[in-house]
């Protein structure tokens, strides 16, 4: 690390999220192998790689969702602002590290409004819920589309709207890191474009780790990219460098579409 | 995808024969049910003619010697014992189902599921015997006096603790319907998309909070269906109740008192019924019982189906 650069603003010198020698298993399946990387605050890291290479497992280790799967375990360290996430209460951790899933998973028994504030209610946060609903739905470009039917059931929304609602729901608890596991893979191109636009805005405020199988998407939205293959981190660098001048043969083959 | 209209009909002769056979069987089942209802109705005609349907339903005197027949004590006994059964079984069964689907390690789960299945397989006469030999003495000597001591000011817990009566019948019913409610609830919870639970957990919910905020609201209707299926079973259960309820056609506010139930009186008196009116009154009770359980089962299925439909929408 460049010491001269880091001195004036010591806080930004340390990555927001630091993964050290992370291994993860499902029973005997070794899904994530000895991965180390850092994610800077207010940047977007894209994780790419063929399906089954451990991308989801990796991000699920970052907010300790991985350990909820029966038979799953992990080793290694994940540091959030230098603090080992495996040493804190996972419930508290998950408020600081939000997650958006591949398929929109709005709560079907709740209204749009209740979906947004579900995390606040669950954590018994007292706040101006109305203001938060408006702010997060505006952030996710959903406010104008739903402001007249906030009490309608969330499942009445389209897939793209549901996914943006899920993002609003994640933002409402004000996490510092946002994990997104192929958030646009179930969406049409227009909805996808909206989500990408949104991510671009969110990175002013949040640290984002996004899994994507769409390389164009990674190029459009990310600052850094990590290429995973069979559970191993093959290459990690700035997005531009990784796509234009990959150092590893496997990366080149993958980004040029020779396999995957 | 080829639509059904494009496919030549003769190509599926086997399918069509199968469908016809199934339809026929289904029709036969309906027919049998219809025959039973008609037979009961015809059998009960003399009683209704003599007493009037309304007086029969609301009468509380049951005296075959004087041809005086009122259904109320039996309806009451059936409802009270079933209510006890539901109040006791529902929280336990739902808690068990939640524990088995949400919390427990798989070894525990297999063991407890096996135990619940065994419970469902025990013949009801064995439950009745167990009730008489184990439960009744405990209730009479320990539980009922204690309840009376603490809560004796409530009409529910007044009168001499006899052991036999509404309470043991209701408790044994609770044990008998527990597997029904638990297993249907487990089915309902299993169909719950894992993504919803994960959504709550990812927001910082504990497991219990996720259950309260997402799992239970989602499964609510299905669980209600499970409870109603259990209730239907409780309403119709004959043997164990007959052995434990005391078989007195009386209406008492106290759970310690003896009573009677619809299926019990039919089973006890039908074989030696004295004359057409007595037989008719018993057949009338059968119709009442059938009507109640039919309505409950139908609404249970509807609820379960509605909750399954919501699942598809999600
Ligand atoms: N619940 C699970 N149980 C067992 N193995 C799993 C489970 N989930 C994923 N795996 C395995 O772990 C590996 C990585 O999966 P995943 O992280 O989902 O890959 P990706 O998100 O890159 O497609 C795969 O080999 C997959 O089969
Ligand atoms: Mg994945």
């Amino acid at each position: 690390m460049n010491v001269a650069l880091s001195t004036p603003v010591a806080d930004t010198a340390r990555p927001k999220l630091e993964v050290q020698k992370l291994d993860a298993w499902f029973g005997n399946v070794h899904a994530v192998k000895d991965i180390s990387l850092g994610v800077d605050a207010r940047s977007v890291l894209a994780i790419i790689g063929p399906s089954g290479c451990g991308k989801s497992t990796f991000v699920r280790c970052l907010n300790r969702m991985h350990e909820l799967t029966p038979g799953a375990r992990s080793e290694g360290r994940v540091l959030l602002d230098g603090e080992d996430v495996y040493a804190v209460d996972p419930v508290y951790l998950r408020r600081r590290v939000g997650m958006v899933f591949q398929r929109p998973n709005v709560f079907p028994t709740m209204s749009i409004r209740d979906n947004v504030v579900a995390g606040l209610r669950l954590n018994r946060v007292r706040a101006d819920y109305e203001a938060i609903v408006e702010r997060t739905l505006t952030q996710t470009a959903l406010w104008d589309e739903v402001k007249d039917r906030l009490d309608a059931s969330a499942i009445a929304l389209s897939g793209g709207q549901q996914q943006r609602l899920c993002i609003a729901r994640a933002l409402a608890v004000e996490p510092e890191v946002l994990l997104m596991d192929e958030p646009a893979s179930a969406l049409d191109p227009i909805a996808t474009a909206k989500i990408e636009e949104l991510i671009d805005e969110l990175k002013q405020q949040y640290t984002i780790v996004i899994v994507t199988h769409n390389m164009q998407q990674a190029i459009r939205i990310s600052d850094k990219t990590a290429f995973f293959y069979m559970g191993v981190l093959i290459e990690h660098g700035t997005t531009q460098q990784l796509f234009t001048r990959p150092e590893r043969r496997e990366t080149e083959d993958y980004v040029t579409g020779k396999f995957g | 995808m080829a639509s059904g209209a494009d496919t030549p009909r003769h190509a599926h002769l086997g399918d069509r024969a199968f469908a016809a056979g199934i339809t026929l069987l289904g029709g036969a089942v309906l027919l049998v049910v219809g025959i039973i209802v008609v037979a009961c109705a015809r059998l009960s005609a003399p009683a209704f003619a003599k007493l009037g349907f309304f007086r029969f339903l609301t009468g509380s005197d049951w005296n075959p010697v004087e041809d005086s027949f009122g259904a109320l004590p039996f309806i009451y006994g059936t409802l009270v014992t079933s209510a006890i059964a539901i109040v006791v079984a529902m929280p336990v069964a739902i808690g068990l189902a939640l524990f088995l689907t949400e919390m427990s390690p798989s070894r525990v789960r297999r063991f407890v599921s096996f135990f619940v299945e065994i419970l469902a397989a025990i013949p009801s006469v064995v439950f009745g015997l167990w009730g008489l030999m184990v439960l009744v003495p405990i209730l009479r000597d320990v539980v009922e006096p204690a309840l009376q001591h603490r809560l004796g000011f409530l009409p529910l817990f007044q009168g001499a603790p006899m052991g036999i009566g509404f309470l043991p019948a209701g408790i044994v019913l609770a044990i008998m319907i527990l597997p029904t409610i638990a297993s249907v609830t487990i089915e309902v919870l299993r169909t719950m998309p894992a993504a919803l639970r994960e959504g709550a957990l990812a927001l910082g919910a504990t497991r219990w909070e996720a259950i309260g905020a997402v799992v239970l609201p989602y499964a609510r209707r299905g669980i209600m269906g499970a409870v109603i299926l259990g209730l239907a079973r409780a309403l119709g259960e004959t043997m164990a109740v007959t052995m434990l309820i005391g078989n007195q056609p009386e209406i008492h506010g106290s759970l310690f008192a003896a009573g009677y139930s619809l299926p019990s009186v039919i089973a006890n008196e039908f074989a030696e019924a004295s004359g057409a009116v007595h037989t008719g009154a018993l057949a009338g009770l059968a119709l009442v019982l059938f009507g109640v359980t039919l309505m409950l089962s139908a609404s249970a299925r509807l609820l379960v189906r509605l909750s399954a439909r919501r699942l598809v929408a999600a």
Side-chain angles (χ1 to χ4, degrees):
Chain A
M1 186 154 288
N2 191 327
V3 178
L5 257 180
S6 63
T7 336
V9 263
D11 239 355
T12 54
R14 176 202 277 155
K16 180 78 185 173
L17 205 56
E18 222 174 330
V19 180
Q20 297 173 345
K21 297 185 171 301
L22 184 71
D23 282 277
W25 292 265
F26 293 97
N28 298 325
V29 179
H30 196 174
V32 167
K33 296 172 188 159
D34 193 34
I35 289 185
S36 301
L37 58 75
V39 190
D40 293 331
R42 286 178 285 278
S43 76
V44 177
L45 169 70
I47 297 177
I48 61 170
S51 95
C53 70
K55 306 181 295 293
S56 297
T57 309
F58 175 77
V59 291
R60 288 168 62 87
C61 286
L62 303 184
N63 68 344
R64 297 183 57 179
M65 293 292 285
H66 176 65
E67 66 199 61
L68 296 173
T69 309
R73 65 196 174 86
S74 64
E75 268 173 27
R77 300 218 300 170
V78 177
L79 306 178
L80 177 63
D81 287 332
E83 189 183 5
D84 191 345
V85 303
Y86 284 87
V88 303
D89 181 359
V91 165
Y92 167 72
L93 170 72
R94 291 182 199 131
R95 278 192 56 189
R96 295 179 62 194
V97 182
M99 184 163 212
V100 176
F101 296 79
Q102 184 165 358
R103 301 195 148 270
N105 58 349
V106 297
F107 300 137
T109 54
M110 294 185 196
S111 67
I112 294 170
R113 185 201 312 273
D114 287 345
N115 261 278
V116 176
V117 298
L120 299 171
R121 288 230 170 90
L122 281 167
N123 292 294
R124 285 171 284 277
V125 177
R126 269 195 239 142
D128 183 353
Y129 284 5
E130 286 308 300
I132 290 171
V133 168
E134 178 165 355
R135 174 171 59 75
T136 56
L137 288 178
T138 307
Q139 257 180 315
T140 52
L142 207 51
W143 177 249
D144 288 329
E145 293 163 48
V146 303
K147 64 170 184 276
D148 301 320
R149 48 178 173 140
L150 291 174
D151 290 313
S153 169
I155 49 174
L157 300 174
S158 72
Q161 289 173 322
Q162 286 191 19
Q163 191 62 305
R164 278 180 285 151
L165 179 58
C166 289
I167 298 173
R169 182 176 76 186
L171 296 180
V173 292
E174 301 192 5
E176 297 154 44
V177 178
L178 198 56
L179 310 173
M180 303 174 117
D181 189 356
E182 305 196 27
S185 68
L187 306 182
D188 61 66
I190 294 174
T192 302
K194 284 192 176 167
I195 303 267
E196 288 183 7
E197 226 171 276
L198 171 61
I199 291 170
D200 215 45
E201 274 170 36
L202 292 178
K203 78 172 186 190
Q204 317 286 327
Q205 229 180 316
Y206 302 93
T207 305
I208 296 173
V209 178
I210 179 171
V211 174
T212 176
H213 60 231
N214 178 336
M215 281 176 272
Q216 296 310 312
Q217 185 172 65
I219 292 169
R220 283 192 297 266
I221 62 179
S222 69
D223 303 303
K224 295 227 174 125
T225 298
F227 171 58
F228 282 26
Y229 184 58
M230 291 172 63
V232 178
L233 174 63
I234 302 291
E235 190 168 349
H236 172 221
T238 65
T239 298
Q240 205 197 354
Q241 176 259 316
L242 190 131
F243 280 98
T244 53
R245 285 172 281 109
E247 281 167 9
R248 296 281 299 263
R249 182 61 191 271
E250 298 95 317
T251 316
E252 184 172 352
D253 286 352
Y254 185 71
V255 301
T256 54
K258 286 211 186 96
F259 79 98
Chain B
M1 210 51 152
S3 76
D6 296 334
T7 48
R9 295 198 150 200
H10 59 264
H12 300 299
L13 204 61
D15 285 356
R16 274 153 46 86
F18 182 72
I22 292 291
T23 313
L24 212 68
L25 278 178
V29 170
L30 268 185
L31 194 71
V32 169
V33 172
I35 290 172
I36 293 173
V37 171
V38 169
C40 282
R42 281 190 40 197
L43 212 53
S44 62
F48 291 150
K50 176 150 196 296
L51 305 160
F53 185 65
F54 190 70
R55 247 188 66 208
F56 170 72
L57 268 189
T58 56
S60 57
D61 181 46
W62 183 270
N63 192 343
V65 180
E66 292 172 17
D67 261 1
S68 164
F69 297 104
L72 208 55
F74 309 101
I75 296 174
Y76 179 78
T78 293
L79 290 182
V80 168
T81 48
S82 300
I84 297 171
I86 289 297
V87 167
V88 174
M90 193 168 89
V92 178
I94 293 174
L96 193 66
L98 282 173
F99 172 73
L100 290 180
T101 51
E102 305 278 327
M103 323 289 276
S104 63
S106 63
R107 196 154 354 111
V108 177
R109 183 161 55 230
R110 269 197 297 277
F111 178 74
V112 179
S113 313
F114 177 72
F115 182 73
V116 170
E117 275 166 37
I118 291 289
L119 211 55
I122 296 175
S124 65
V125 66
V126 175
F127 273 112
L129 274 179
W130 174 82
L132 278 177
M133 288 157 60
V134 181
L135 186 63
V136 165
I138 293 176
L139 287 180
R140 183 187 56 218
D141 301 334
V142 183
V143 179
E144 291 184 357
L147 278 172
Q148 198 153 49
H149 182 70
R150 295 271 159 76
L151 301 163
F153 57 91
L154 293 171
L156 279 181
F157 305 117
Q158 284 169 5
M162 298 190 299
I164 289 262
F166 294 121
L167 196 56
I171 291 174
V172 165
L173 276 181
I175 299 170
M176 295 176 73
I177 66 176
L178 190 110
T180 308
I181 303 181
S183 58
V184 178
T185 303
I186 286 171
E187 285 317 305
V188 170
L189 293 176
R190 286 245 171 88
T191 60
M192 157 114 195
L196 291 181
R197 192 180 305 116
E198 290 204 329
L201 294 171
L203 287 170
T206 63
R207 288 209 173 218
W208 282 114
E209 286 166 350
I211 288 170
V214 179
V215 176
L216 283 182
Y218 186 84
R220 195 182 55 217
R221 287 190 215 182
I223 294 175
M224 266 169 70
V227 171
I228 295 177
L229 282 179
L231 179 59
R233 167 132 202 247
L235 291 171
E237 171 52 37
T238 312
M239 183 51 80
V241 175
T242 308
M243 292 167 79
L244 294 168
I245 197 170
N247 298 337
Q248 303 290 320
E250 290 159 13
I251 297 176
H252 291 290
S254 170
L255 299 184
F256 301 166
Y260 223 147
S261 79
L262 288 164
S264 300
V265 71
I266 298 168
N268 279 338
E269 295 189 3
F270 200 82
E272 51 239 46
S274 51
V277 179
H278 190 187
T279 308
L282 292 169
L285 294 183
L287 278 180
V288 170
L289 180 62
F290 182 66
V292 173
T293 45
L294 191 71
M295 258 162 35
L296 283 168
S297 301
S299 49
R301 299 220 178 234
L302 193 70
L303 283 169
V304 173
R305 177 137 17 113
L306 284 177
S307 87
R309 185 173 312 154
R310 179 152 67 196
L311 191 125
V312 174

